[in-house]
Amino acid sequence: MKFLLFPLFIFCGGQLFAQAVKNVELLDHWFTDTLITNSSEVRFSSCWAFVHEGKEYGVIGSTEGAHFFELTSENTFRFVDFVPGRFQSSQAITREYKNYGNYLYAVCDEGNSSLQIIDLSFLPDSVRLVSDLRDANFGKSHNLFIDSTRALLYLCLVTPALNNVDLPRFPLAVYSLENPTAPQLLWQGPEDIPEVHDLYLHGNIALLNCGFNGIRVYDFTNPSAPIYKNSLSIYPKQGYNHQGWLAPNGSTYVFADETAGMPIKRARLNADFSISIEQFFGTPNEPYDKTPHNIHCTNEFAFVAYYNDGLRIYDLRFQPPVEIGAYDTYLDNSLTNNFSMWGAWGIHALLPSERILISDRNNGFFLFSFDRQRFINQANSSDFSLYPNPVNVGSSCTIRAPKDGVDNFQVRVMDLSGKLISEQNVQNQSFCEVEVQYIGCFLVEVRYENYLGEETVRVFRMVGN
């Protein structure tokens, strides 16, 4: 019988990752120490991913600009090109990216930054900067979102400039991308709040993350005259409302407050566009308060870039959601273990290949795999489970931990007389795949420690047909 296991530790670039590993495999890691940095060793910011002519690509921001990679079929980063930012400095720590058609749009929120538009049509060989906009309509921006269906660009916290002098900042601006390299301003606002930090657009409905003003919902059917629909300005465990993602079902909304110690919120977008918080979840605030940063969602899972705690994956079908995947990209040490905003910053988990990207402020670019189909196809239970059973010889069955809450256990397979056939320790994942090669009945013994630290044994009868 064959057991399929992931390694406990993986060495990359002279560094050891990670403190927490569960049901996630590190495929590749890119890092360079040649970039401008500061005393906190922060070199990187956000990341994004896209598909161009059937190939998947990732881009990560740094203090110096945008680094482009092909995500190869061999699950590696292949460096493609670099586009310098207009502002390059140890203070250039907030870069964000989105794509539309053959173009990537890049913003930065420091210095004399601009809206940069990068032509992707030369891939897989290179990319080219075709517009660098800093004028009365453009300048440094904190974030962006693109409505590809209607060719609209949304920029958050825009500080335009005239003759290289900053003009008053506005919370949000909407531009037409009818000409993708020359966006045209359609609207800016709202006038009664100081900022829109980020947003998510579902059809024509936008959920705006407004910092200490909570969440607002607007209808952008007419992008030149959006209509206010509802808001969530006060809620439990509130901090600085940072970012959220609406699941494809149009109702499950998961958002985070960029405030140390605040949990992730699972909420519901109701028919009247009000938002109801349903559960709180996240990593424990030990040994110091933790901070979730950026989130992507499917209907089943929330993928989170957690400062200090790396990639975290939660099953949204539980109430509250249960952590089913983890890979810590940032190692705490005596100088940093009380700091809540180092480590994982950006995430992209929506590629066709289902590979996951994480950008870590200190440690660079990470490429992961997570077998989400295994979790979609098989329901969790309150006890260890073995399925299917009976199982056809030559196929596999799966041993799975209760609610994916146990990620270290021992599996022993014996015949009915008690003769040991195989024995294996499973580490850092909550399931074990077993290939059945013989006809007959077998005993499968699972040993693990329960939440009290007591050794617990479960025995199953497995039948091979």
Side-chain angles (χ1 to χ4, degrees):
M1 297 184 182
K2 181 174 65 177
F3 294 81
L4 304 180
L5 304 174
F6 294 141
L8 174 60
F9 296 111
I10 302 176
F11 291 87
C12 293
Q15 301 184 66
L16 178 62
F17 299 100
Q19 293 167 295
V21 182
K22 180 179 179 180
N23 295 332
V24 173
E25 181 182 8
L26 176 63
L27 300 175
D28 202 5
H29 171 229
W30 174 81
F31 171 82
T32 177
D33 61 3
T34 62
L35 298 166
I36 300 170
T37 189
N38 54 35
S39 59
S40 300
E41 294 295 308
V42 169
R43 295 180 172 89
F44 307 98
S45 49
S46 196
C47 66
W48 187 247
F50 58 92
V51 178
H52 182 76
E53 295 184 351
K55 293 180 179 290
E56 294 182 346
Y57 295 89
V59 56
I60 183 172
S62 75
T63 52
E64 298 185 15
H67 309 256
F68 289 81
F69 297 85
E70 180 189 343
L71 311 180
T72 71
S73 57
E74 292 77 28
N75 293 321
T76 61
F77 286 118
R78 182 185 72 83
F79 176 73
V80 174
D81 210 344
F82 170 72
V83 175
R86 184 186 187 108
F87 179 65
Q88 299 184 36
S89 165
S90 62
Q91 301 305 307
I93 57 173
T94 311
R95 299 190 193 273
E96 296 281 353
Y97 307 95
K98 297 292 188 294
N99 66 294
Y100 169 66
N102 286 328
Y103 298 95
L104 187 89
Y105 296 77
V107 298
C108 180
D109 197 19
E110 289 84 30
N112 63 337
S113 293
S114 57
L115 172 66
Q116 294 186 313
I117 304 175
I118 300 165
D119 190 345
L120 305 175
S121 61
F122 300 94
L123 290 171
D125 301 319
S126 63
V127 298
R128 296 184 186 179
L129 179 66
V130 292
S131 295
D132 195 335
L133 305 176
R134 180 174 167 81
D135 54 32
N137 292 327
F138 303 97
K140 63 183 179 183
S141 305
H142 190 80
N143 221 318
L144 72 165
F145 200 95
I146 292 179
D147 179 351
S148 298
T149 302
R150 297 197 297 159
L152 297 174
L153 168 67
Y154 294 73
L155 293 183
C156 301
L157 286 175
V158 183
T159 304
L162 187 62
N163 298 323
N164 212 34
V165 176
D166 285 351
L167 299 175
R169 186 175 71 173
F170 43 88
L172 180 66
V174 184
Y175 306 82
S176 168
L177 293 179
E178 183 177 355
N179 181 345
T181 61
Q184 297 298 306
L185 180 65
L186 300 176
W187 176 84
Q188 62 187 49
E191 297 180 353
D192 61 332
I193 55 173
E195 65 175 299
V196 175
H197 183 275
D198 204 341
L199 75 149
Y200 184 88
L201 196 72
H202 180 75
N204 298 330
I205 301 300
L207 291 86
L208 312 183
N209 305 100
C210 304
F212 293 114
N213 289 283
I215 303 172
R216 288 196 176 186
V217 183
Y218 282 79
D219 185 341
F220 278 89
T221 299
N222 180 354
S224 299
I227 299 171
Y228 169 84
K229 304 298 290 186
N230 219 319
S231 65
L232 181 67
S233 57
I234 299 175
Y235 51 90
K237 303 183 187 296
Q238 184 171 3
Y240 179 86
N241 194 281
H242 174 260
Q243 185 263 353
W245 202 268
L246 190 68
N249 59 28
S251 60
T252 303
Y253 182 60
V254 182
F255 70 92
D257 295 79
E258 194 179 21
T259 301
M262 293 297 101
I264 306 168
K265 285 82 173 174
R266 173 191 173 141
R268 179 168 295 279
L269 179 63
N270 300 306
D272 63 354
F273 303 107
S274 63
I275 298 173
S276 306
I277 294 179
E278 298 178 328
Q279 292 102 28
F280 304 98
F281 62 101
T283 63
N285 287 317
E286 298 174 354
Y288 54 89
D289 288 347
K290 303 299 180 65
T291 309
H293 194 237
N294 282 317
I295 299 166
H296 271 181
C297 285
T298 64
N299 288 332
E300 298 83 13
F301 308 119
F303 302 87
V304 183
Y306 235 109
Y307 282 133
N308 299 78
D309 279 356
L311 168 65
R312 300 287 160 151
I313 305 172
Y314 298 90
D315 194 328
L316 295 173
R317 294 169 295 180
F318 287 91
Q319 298 187 15
V322 172
E323 182 182 284
I324 57 172
Y327 199 106
D328 194 349
T329 61
Y330 178 83
L331 297 181
D332 294 327
N333 59 63
S334 60
L335 297 178
T336 64
N337 64 9
N338 61 352
F339 196 84
S340 64
M341 296 175 70
W342 287 355
W345 169 291
I347 188 164
H348 197 291
L350 304 177
L351 284 167
S353 68
E354 299 186 347
R355 293 178 292 187
I356 302 168
L357 289 169
I358 286 280
S359 59
D360 186 293
R361 301 186 76 197
N362 307 82
N363 294 321
F365 218 3
F366 293 78
L367 180 64
F368 297 106
S369 69
F370 168 72
D371 188 358
R372 62 188 77 180
Q373 289 303 316
R374 182 181 300 279
F375 293 87
I376 289 175
N377 294 335
Q378 302 294 341
N380 282 320
S381 67
S382 59
D383 197 358
F384 268 91
S385 59
L386 187 150
Y387 52 84
N389 190 20
V391 58
N392 293 328
V393 172
S395 60
S396 297
C397 66
T398 299
I399 299 167
R400 187 162 170 186
K403 294 185 177 179
D404 300 295
V406 178
D407 56 7
N408 289 278
F409 54 94
Q410 181 189 62
V411 176
R412 302 173 76 231
V413 181
M414 300 164 286
D415 64 20
L416 295 183
S417 69
K419 179 182 177 182
L420 182 66
I421 297 173
S422 65
E423 182 177 20
Q424 182 67 52
N425 290 323
V426 178
Q427 294 182 310
N428 301 306
Q429 62 183 50
S430 59
F431 62 88
C432 178
E433 185 176 295
V434 179
E435 184 177 308
V436 178
Q437 298 178 343
Y438 309 103
I439 295 175
C441 293
F442 305 92
L443 299 177
V444 179
E445 178 187 89
V446 180
R447 290 180 179 267
Y448 67 102
E449 286 189 358
N450 64 19
Y451 70 100
L452 297 174
E454 302 167 337
E455 183 176 71
T456 305
V457 180
R458 291 285 289 112
V459 178
F460 300 89
R461 182 184 292 264
M462 181 177 68
V463 177
N465 289 337

